[in-house]
Amino acid sequence: MSAVASFGIGFVPRRWPVRYAMLLSAALLSAGSFGLIGVGSAQHAYIAAGLFGLGIGGVMTLLPMAWADYFGRESYGAIRGVALSLQVLAQAVGPLLSGALRDWTGNYVDSLMVFAILAALAAMAALAARRPVS
């Protein structure tokens, strides 16, 4: 589903501002994370994982587009360098915190809740985003 989203979502910013596509992707990511909390069947798991995949594929495709669109191609390298550093740090810390929450609580519910809430906050940030004034 991530591959499907990365192909399809790339065309959306031609018609609508990239922030609306980012909002959609982050909302799908949040919905998929919340959906994984209550999985009771294989079908439910596929739906939740599919929503998550659509969301993550969209976010990964749209972020570089948003950086270039909002800040220009001249600043793209610097922005990507800072953002990628933070992304790599979060990807390193996330599983450790998720594992710690699993050890403390005995399940992954809290980890999924944190991730779903962070994705929902990202959706709100996307909606609030405006081009910087030069």
Side-chain angles (χ1 to χ4, degrees):
M1 294 310 290
S2 180
V4 169
S6 63
F7 176 76
I9 198 88
F11 296 104
V12 172
R14 291 183 179 179
R15 297 204 178 255
W16 295 296
V18 70
R19 65 190 178 107
Y20 295 137
M22 290 290 295
L23 167 69
L24 173 64
S25 294
L28 288 169
L29 192 57
S30 182
S33 297
F34 276 124
L36 287 169
I37 292 171
V39 169
S41 68
Q43 182 179 6
H44 187 178
Y46 285 126
I47 291 169
L51 290 173
F52 184 89
L54 287 170
I56 199 73
V59 167
M60 298 308 290
T61 300
L62 292 167
L63 272 176
M65 294 172 75
W67 294 332
D69 191 31
Y70 279 43
F71 300 104
R73 292 188 175 125
E74 302 82 26
S75 302
Y76 182 80
I79 292 167
R80 179 155 167 80
V82 170
L84 191 57
S85 297
L86 295 172
Q87 181 180 353
V88 168
L89 178 64
Q91 288 174 333
V93 171
L96 296 173
L97 290 176
S98 182
L101 280 172
R102 163 51 177 97
D103 289 346
W104 293 330
T105 64
N107 59 52
Y108 288 102
V109 171
D110 289 341
S111 294
L112 289 168
M113 288 289 287
V114 167
F115 193 69
I117 290 167
L118 289 173
L121 290 172
M124 289 187 278
L127 189 58
R130 299 287 187 267
R131 280 198 172 99
V133 179
S134 307

